[in-house]
Amino acid sequence: MTSVPTRVKATLSFRTIGAVYVWLVIVVLFSVWAPDTFPTAITVKQVLNGNAVAGLVALSVVPPLAARVFDLSVAYTMSLTSVLTAHFLVSTGLGPFTAIALAMAAALLVGVVNALVVVVLRVDSFIATLATGALIQSLITMVTNDSSVTGVQLLAKPFASIAQLDAGGITLPVLYMLLAALAIWFVLEHTATGRRLYATGFNSDAARLQGVRTDRLRFGTLVASALLSGFAGVVFASSVGSGSPTAGSPYLLSAYAAAFVGATQLRAGRFNAWGTVIAVLLLGTGITGLGLATSAQWAASLFTGSVLIVALVLTGGRIALPTVLRRRTGKLPGPAQPEGSSDDESRAVPAGGSRA
């Protein structure tokens, strides 16, 4: 049995929580670079509040990625619900709860369409969701003529309170992000559905032979992704007091950067909720620090893109390493297996057992 010091050492190793150490380095770097503005409680609140919506979008791509599915329409779904919520409030006179319900119904429809195209029609998820996103954006442009939807209804309570209500300077979207992360973590790590979801992502053929309904799981992840990104759009509209036709566009790259960085943390080679939250705050800290240090406008994009490339290298290495070891030893050394090989999660679902 593994001793406590050994478990603690493994938990605190760079391989397990390397992003936390990088995060600390970034904090120290900007504290030296901008000592008057960065190391303050205001900056901490700014990082948390300013990245809560980004965290929701990043978390929305975790379930599909866990099942080896891409959803590139999340940014467009976020823009859609932002615009629809504002439109229903301002132009139709509907109450906030009805407006939000209708906007979320549209997000649900997007998720179902994505799932039908990817799962039923067998179109590659990368291409399918990108095409869906383009269709959504064309619809938004047709309705709004690329103009933001504004009105006093968006600035009044209770709609404004959805994102602007705070406790001690920490706004409600931070709570939404943590609750979403908690729910995804529980499903992925503590339910049979989560184990089957990982098995689907690692080796869908092996999982299917073990009785896992992989198509149903992928269908569900795309619907869940659309709903969570749609909710992020509602929160965004509440926070800025308008419905923007391009609300989600800046979040797509950072969402996938955070998800892939998160896959290198806590659960080696697995897309997971808390690793994604850590990555979101790491990226947010870096971008906030660059802003406070009055760096060039292109520096934030350079930082995010660089982090994504490094994350892809690290993630790819951690997934490919067991393949090398398996060739040498003939054994399966760890839970993170490349696509096309069986894994512990697949074997965890008994043949003929209950299905997802």
Side-chain angles (χ1 to χ4, degrees), residues 95 112 147 206:
V112 171
S147 299

Side-chain angles (χ1 to χ4, degrees), residues 38-52:
F38 185 81
T40 65
I42 295 176
T43 301
V44 174
K45 296 175 183 177
Q46 182 179 348
V47 170
L48 289 173
N49 297 333
N51 292 279

Side-chain angles (χ1 to χ4, degrees), residues 119-134:
V119 177
V120 178
L121 300 181
R122 302 293 180 185
V123 179
D124 180 81
S125 62
F126 193 96
I127 302 300
T129 56
L130 188 62
T132 304

Side-chain angles (χ1 to χ4, degrees), residues 11 24 42 123 136 178 188 235 263 269 318 352:
T11 301
L24 293 175
I42 295 176
V123 179
I136 295 171
L178 295 178
L188 290 180
V235 174
R318 296 178 76 168

Side-chain angles (χ1 to χ4, degrees), residues 40-81:
T40 65
I42 295 176
T43 301
V44 174
K45 296 175 183 177
Q46 182 179 348
V47 170
L48 289 173
N49 297 333
N51 292 279
V53 172
L56 288 172
V57 181
L59 288 168
S60 74
V61 305
V62 170
L65 286 175
R68 198 62 65 91
V69 176
F70 283 90
D71 185 358
L72 298 183
S73 67
V74 291
Y76 305 98
T77 305
M78 175 182 169
S79 299
L80 178 65
T81 54

Side-chain angles (χ1 to χ4, degrees), residues 8-10 15 53 63 81 97 115 165 169 183 189 199 220 223 225 227 238 269 272 316 322-323 349:
V8 171
K9 183 178 179 181
R15 183 176 179 83
V53 172
T81 54
F97 297 107
L165 194 65
E189 304 294 341
V223 172
S225 176
L227 287 173
S238 174
N272 64 90
T323 305
V349 182

Side-chain angles (χ1 to χ4, degrees), residues 5 39 43 94-95 100 124 132 150 164 184 197 200 227 240-241 262 266 294 322-323 344 352:
T43 301
L94 294 175
I100 293 171
D124 180 81
T132 304
T150 59
Q164 298 179 25
I184 294 172
L197 197 60
T200 299
L227 287 173
V240 301
L266 306 178
T294 62
T323 305
D344 293 339

